[in-house]
Amino acid sequence: MVTAFDLALIEESAKKSSLVWVRGSEGVARGLWHVWHDGAVCLVGGPGEQPFDGLGLADGGPATVSCRSKDKGGRLIVWPALVAEPTPDGEVWRAAVNELRGKRLNAPETAEALAARWATECRVLRLTPSGEPLQRPDTMPTASPAAAPPPTPASTRLPVPSGLPARRRPGRSRQR
């Protein structure tokens, strides 16, 4: 059972944060921009928008949402959500898209064309709180939640070869 305090904390943290960390049924959590509308976090993803692939966000499936504190930047609350994918041009879909259009930065087309593209090429999702928060200010874990970095062909820099001249420190003048 979600208390009124928990719902208020979820709503305020989602409204004030520019992005939320979402984890679906697979993969790792990913930061996604969103809007809070009508009791849910609304997201848009697909070609030309933020990617949902690899998260396992399916209609009727579970998700976990993490919100951060606006003033400190640390994790404030983590809550379970139920994923809903409204049908394009339905009343719920139109209301979510109207809110999302206002927050979409640097859209490549007009608002009407943007909504048309979202209806045909993208997914609009609503993540509604579905249970008691997993973490909140009085129940944060003490262990580090850091995940191992994903594998990459990039590597760290190697030491400077001894044949190259030593670099001076920036901001220091050479003494004579």
Side-chain angles (χ1 to χ4, degrees):
M1 180 73 181
V2 183
T3 66
F5 176 78
D6 288 336
L7 282 175
L9 184 58
I10 289 169
E11 181 176 353
E12 279 303 306
S13 61
K15 280 181 178 180
K16 291 186 177 189
S17 184
S18 56
L19 63 89
V20 292
W21 292 89
V22 177
R23 175 178 300 160
S25 60
E26 55 191 57
V28 297
R30 185 177 300 155
L32 302 171
W33 70 270
H34 70 287
V35 295
W36 178 267
H37 176 68
D38 198 25
V41 165
C42 298
L43 308 164
V44 63
E49 303 298 333
Q50 56 195 349
F52 288 161
D53 56 327
L55 288 176
L57 296 173
D59 190 21
T64 303
V65 181
S66 299
C67 297
R68 66 184 184 93
S69 167
K70 184 71 172 178
D71 59 344
K72 303 278 187 200
R75 190 171 15 136
L76 181 61
I77 190 164
V78 179
W79 46 277
L82 183 63
V83 179
E85 188 169 357
T87 57
D89 289 332
E91 185 178 325
V92 174
W93 186 87
R94 277 194 302 273
V97 166
N98 284 337
E99 292 294 321
L100 286 163
R101 275 193 303 204
K103 289 285 192 165
R104 173 64 165 92
L105 300 176
N106 304 322
E109 62 258 291
T110 65
E112 293 77 25
L114 185 65
R117 181 171 63 85
W118 286 353
T120 58
E121 299 176 10
C122 297
R123 296 174 65 200
V124 174
L125 302 178
R126 288 177 44 88
L127 305 181
T128 308
S130 65
E132 191 172 322
L134 306 171
Q135 297 173 11
R136 58 177 162 259
D138 58 346
T139 62
M140 287 294 175
T142 55
S144 172
T152 177
S155 65
T156 57
R157 286 180 27 172
L158 299 174
V160 177
S162 61
L164 292 177
R167 293 177 24 187
R168 289 189 299 169
R169 293 185 195 160
R172 297 217 174 177
S173 63
R174 188 179 238 173
Q175 294 181 5
R176 298 176 197 223

